[in-house]
Amino acid sequence: MTAAKPYLTGHYTPVADEITATGLTVEGRLPTELTGRLIRNSHNPKPGVTPTHWFKGSGMVHGIRLRDGRAEWYRNRWVHTPALDGAPYLTEHGPDLTASTAGTHVIEHAGRLLALCEANLPFELTADLETVGAYDFGGKLTSAMTAHPKVDPATGELHFFASSPFPPYLIHHVSSPDGTVLESQEVPGASAALKHDFAVTAHHVVFLEGSVTFDPAEHSGIPYRWHDAQAARIGIMPRGAGGAADIRWYEIGQGYAMHLANAYEDARGRVVVEGPAVGREGWQRSWNWWVGAPERGAEPNSGSRARRWTVDPATGTVREEQTDDLTVEFPTINEEYLGREHRYQYALSFPDDLGIGNHTLVKYDRATGARRLRPFGTGRLPSEAVFVPAEGATEEDAGYLLTVVGDLNTGTSDLLVLDAAELSAPPIATVRLPRRVPAMIHGSWIPDSAL
Ligand SMILES: [Fe+2]
């Protein structure tokens, strides 16, 4: 008998069905300005299916509808892609970009809800989370799409990339707020290194290649492995048509950063990039959890520490520093500050090695250096904290943090609406969800005004 895969147990145990529940119980006062949907995505294989890798599990979206101070519904739906019914990604004609788990993220773009997985086309959903089908920007997108697109708050444009283990390794795309693909540029100098996230600043696009690269010998279904010889690099590309030709790649220390919190240009023209990163051991312990192999960490994230890379184009140098000693992942910010200097960053701390005992929401204040913690107690796992700005806010942290907390003690889950400015205060509101919601990857708050 083999032990259950870690991604099928505890907080990660999939749910077996799709449900809809209306008229949810709310404790506290739901701000009326929170009128929209919190939609989150996770890997939730169908009953009886054991994926070979956590990330190969079929995507399921969970939505919570808030309107005028009420929690109108909760519903969960698999993203109904060909892969959910067993269609293979690799066919005799090459990759099938529609054979997606669609289980990584969900965003809104040009009025559409899109469920994302980085090896595939996006999948469009209705406002009630039913699957419409693969979305290719009216035929303009013939490549995969990252699960971490970025909206430039200054222009409303959506930046995203396509990464492939085969040439062209990297393509950068820009879509207008109405969903028209404006630019598609192959990025010179990229390699087959694994690329999950990136960043956009006022003048640049920032790509990241870590020490993890394509390796066909890896048979878990995600063909990537750590290689010491794979140079880790940051690519700084001028924005705009033709910018790709002027990209500069800067070598950095060995490591892998799954997610970036933000990047911006400072007053001296340096590009500052921040996000949690792992070394070789942290990567391997994390990977072993993702595939259910021995010598894995107790949590899906092991040893990821907040890092800052300061790239100076004038000198061609990069300064690297670890900015905190907690194991953190899922960095988020007030996305109105995306691409410019942010003061606050939020993240989740995991109780592994230098984690702090239980899952904890962390708030970093870059101006004072302060670190605030909000623990959730034994057996309670918060999801990535999504920041929603308050109406008319002038302070960067004036707003709400939305997190879905799963509780293994009771087998229930709640949506917490927290005051981002007062992290330790009691929740502004708690929405009782009708079921335990499995631990989730990424998601978005989508106000009604966007749909
Ligand atoms: Fe991600």
Side-chain angles (χ1 to χ4, degrees), residues 55 104-105 118 146-148 196-197 258-260 329-330 384 441-442:
F55 301 160
T104 310
H105 201 351
E118 67 194 15
T146 173
H148 286 286
H196 181 68
D197 200 354
M258 179 83 90
H259 296 119
L260 295 179
E329 247 298 344
F330 297 110
E384 170 191 71
I441 311 282
H442 301 295

Side-chain angles (χ1 to χ4, degrees), residues 79 206 223 232 240 242 251 274 306 309 320 338 350 354 363 366 372 429:
V79 185
V206 178
E251 195 157 328
E274 294 188 355
W309 299 267
E320 286 190 56
L338 189 144
F350 286 80
L354 286 184
K363 177 183 180 182
R366 301 174 69 255
R372 301 265 178 259

Side-chain angles (χ1 to χ4, degrees), residues 248 250 268-271 310-319:
R248 284 179 70 184
Y250 300 83
R268 293 166 52 184
R270 300 177 304 184
V271 180
T310 305
V311 183
D312 190 341
T315 61
T317 58
V318 181
R319 191 178 79 216

Side-chain angles (χ1 to χ4, degrees), residues 158-235:
L158 187 77
H159 288 245
F160 56 99
F161 66 87
S163 175
S164 169
F166 307 107
Y169 295 117
L170 183 60
I171 304 171
H172 172 249
H173 302 277
V174 181
S175 176
S176 69
D178 69 1
T180 304
V181 176
L182 303 172
E183 286 174 30
S184 295
Q185 300 185 72
E186 284 186 32
V187 179
S191 77
L194 180 59
K195 288 174 269 294
H196 181 68
D197 200 354
F198 78 131
V200 175
T201 70
H203 301 102
H204 296 94
V205 182
V206 178
F207 296 108
L208 205 56
E209 292 197 340
S211 310
V212 176
T213 194
F214 176 63
D215 186 339
E218 169 61 41
H219 291 300
S220 64
I222 308 282
Y224 289 88
R225 281 184 184 168
W226 182 282
H227 282 263
D228 283 342
Q230 176 73 33
R233 303 182 301 162
I234 291 178

Side-chain angles (χ1 to χ4, degrees), residues 260-449:
L260 295 179
N262 196 20
Y264 62 90
E265 285 126 21
D266 70 11
R268 293 166 52 184
R270 300 177 304 184
V271 180
V272 180
V273 184
E274 294 188 355
V278 293
R280 176 170 43 189
E281 186 186 352
W283 169 265
Q284 201 57 53
R285 283 165 57 79
S286 302
W287 181 272
N288 288 348
W289 193 100
W290 302 342
V291 298
E295 297 176 36
R296 59 181 179 253
E299 298 284 333
N301 305 293
S302 288
S304 45
R305 305 280 145 67
R307 285 191 87 75
R308 177 182 300 138
W309 299 267
T310 305
V311 183
D312 190 341
T315 61
T317 58
V318 181
R319 191 178 79 216
E320 286 190 56
E321 51 203 311
Q322 180 178 309
T323 57
D324 190 29
D325 59 1
L326 288 179
T327 293
V328 289
E329 247 298 344
F330 297 110
T332 54
I333 61 166
N334 177 345
E335 292 184 358
E336 292 181 359
Y337 288 76
L338 189 144
R340 57 192 176 105
E341 184 166 9
H342 61 292
R343 176 170 174 179
Y344 301 107
Q345 189 218 125
Y346 311 94
L348 297 186
S349 171
F350 286 80
D352 201 35
D353 48 271
L354 286 184
I356 47 173
N358 285 307
H359 297 100
T360 301
L361 180 56
V362 185
K363 177 183 180 182
Y364 295 111
D365 182 339
R366 301 174 69 255
T368 65
R371 180 182 81 189
R372 301 265 178 259
L373 303 175
R374 184 189 179 95
F376 288 85
T378 302
R380 302 187 82 217
L381 173 65
S383 65
E384 170 191 71
V386 173
F387 181 89
V388 183
E391 270 177 16
T394 53
E395 297 295 323
E396 184 184 325
D397 64 347
Y400 310 100
L401 290 172
L402 306 184
T403 181
V404 175
V405 179
D407 190 338
L408 289 181
N409 307 297
T410 58
T412 60
S413 294
D414 295 330
L415 164 64
L416 301 190
V417 179
L418 302 174
D419 181 347
E422 298 289 344
L423 197 65
S424 298
I428 295 169
T430 300
V431 179
R432 303 288 183 203
L433 302 181
R435 74 181 321 159
R436 182 189 61 82
V437 174
M440 292 179 283
I441 311 282
H442 301 295
S444 301
W445 169 254
I446 295 155
D448 277 11
S449 55

